[in-house]
Amino acid sequence: ANFTLRKIERIDGIWRTETVAGVPGVEGHRDGGKGTSLFRSVFDSVVADENGVLYLFAGDWLRKFDKGVLTTLNPDGGAGYVNGPVRQARFAHSQGARHGLACDGRGGLYVADKVNMAIRRVNLKSGEVSTFAGVLPGVKRTMTRDGKATEARFHPGGGPNIIFYDKKHDRFFCRSDDERGSRVILKDSEGWVVNTFMPGS
């Protein structure tokens, strides 16, 4: 809520907090280094990739923090549902519900895009955004169902907003705040598939 990204680090046995991006209490949208970068909206999703680079969502903007510099990956994007080059990609932020983020350790960043009822994949090497699971852009939304990743459907109007990657078994877990059950996305002989499991099952 202070519009900042802060680092907590233990130095000589003492925990220290440092603001590394954003200016406390100052709202705006500006890329740059410490003391110059700004956030326009509160964010609550942060993930680190295999190289220690941080990715976060602030509203509909996917931003990267690397070597002390904050940059916006989709400056030509904004609200909506558009795949393709990350610079023009669009995501749909849900008021009060975060975009969950996960990295697979192979250059893939996964976004739980709740409003668009999809899991989106950002290829950090090629800079391309695609739909990994759920509704494709322009496709009619239907009721919940399991199946092949892009044929599966999440809860109408309340897609996933939380996602985790299980590196040991190469699978994803995702869920929506609107559903009691969770989904596991794993690979079989025909590709990635989505299955529902309930608590205790």
Side-chain angles (χ1 to χ4, degrees), residues 47-174:
V47 69
D49 71 7
E50 59 273 21
N51 300 311
V53 179
L54 297 182
Y55 297 89
L56 56 96
F57 259 101
D60 302 303
W61 307 109
L62 178 59
R63 306 184 79 175
K64 177 176 78 170
F65 182 76
D66 185 23
K67 298 181 176 64
V69 177
L70 182 70
T71 56
T72 302
L73 295 183
N74 62 332
D76 300 333
Y81 190 0
V82 176
N83 287 329
V86 66
R87 184 176 182 86
Q88 289 129 14
R90 292 178 178 266
F91 303 87
H93 182 261
S94 174
Q95 188 68 32
R98 64 181 179 174
H99 284 302
L101 298 171
C103 288
D104 64 6
R106 300 188 296 267
L109 171 66
Y110 296 79
V111 181
D113 196 349
K114 181 179 177 69
V115 173
N116 287 322
M117 295 170 57
I119 301 293
R120 315 276 294 281
R121 183 179 190 271
V122 182
N123 187 321
L124 298 173
K125 297 177 181 178
S126 68
E128 290 289 314
V129 178
S130 59
T131 299
F132 176 66
V135 179
L136 292 163
V139 174
K140 184 179 179 180
R141 302 182 181 193
T142 58
M143 295 302 293
T144 306
R145 68 170 182 256
D146 292 343
K148 293 181 180 179
T150 53
E151 296 176 5
R153 294 293 178 262
F154 298 103
H155 178 58
N161 61 297
I162 300 170
I163 184 169
F164 298 98
Y165 176 63
D166 173 9
K167 183 177 180 179
K168 181 178 180 180
H169 300 98
D170 191 23
R171 60 186 176 183
F172 297 85
F173 292 93
C174 61

Side-chain angles (χ1 to χ4, degrees), residues 172-185:
F172 297 85
F173 292 93
C174 61
R175 68 176 299 272
S176 167
D177 285 338
D178 302 307
E179 292 185 289
R180 181 168 172 264
S182 298
R183 307 295 184 88
V184 59
I185 307 173

